[in-house]
Amino acid sequence: NKPTTISHRRAFLSKIAGATIAATSAVTLNPSSASAADDNLQNVYWGAGCYWHVQHEFILAERSILGRKDNELTSLTGYAGGFKTDSEGRVCYHNFQSIADYGKLGHG
C-alpha cells in the first residue's frame, strides 16, 4: 500500500511542478526581447511540510520541460516566515540537540 501512495503523491507533485513551470515560463519561451522576458518573470512560492521532495520534482520539470542544465536551475527550498539563523548561518529541522531549530528561530 505504501509504494502506491508514494507513486500517487509523486505523480501529483510532478503534475503540479510541470503545470507551474509551464504557466510561469510561457511568456519567457518566446519573448520579443531579453528585457521583456526579465520584466515578466514571476516568483512562485509553494508551502510544503517536507519540501526536499517537492524541490526534486520541480527540478525534474525544469530539466524536462524547459531543457535547463544544472547551472540554469531556479528551484530553491527553504523555511518561510523567519530571518534568524544560528551563529553559523544554519536553519535546521527539529533535532535532538536543538541545533538551529527552525521553530525556535521563528520560521514557519
Side-chain angles (χ1 to χ4, degrees):
N1 193 6
K2 189 169 183 159
T4 302
T5 302
I6 291 171
S7 64
H8 287 293
R9 185 175 357 150
R10 183 171 198 140
F12 175 72
L13 288 172
S14 293
K15 286 179 184 179
I16 289 174
T20 301
I21 288 173
T24 59
S25 64
V27 173
T28 63
L29 293 178
N30 296 310
S32 59
S33 71
S35 63
D38 291 341
D39 292 343
N40 291 310
L41 293 178
Q42 297 292 318
N43 289 327
V44 178
Y45 299 91
W46 288 87
C50 184
Y51 51 74
W52 299 110
H53 180 66
V54 176
Q55 180 192 26
H56 175 73
E57 296 299 331
F58 275 89
I59 286 174
L60 292 178
E62 281 190 75
R63 287 180 177 147
S64 66
I65 295 169
L66 301 177
R68 290 185 175 163
K69 296 178 179 13
D70 286 346
N71 63 337
E72 300 170 320
L73 299 174
T74 60
S75 297
L76 303 172
T77 60
Y79 292 101
F83 297 100
K84 294 180 187 175
T85 62
D86 74 351
S87 61
E88 296 179 36
R90 299 176 297 185
V91 178
C92 302
Y93 193 70
H94 300 302
N95 55 82
F96 288 115
Q97 290 95 11
S98 194
I99 297 171
D101 185 291
Y102 76 97
K104 293 179 181 176
L105 293 170
H107 298 270

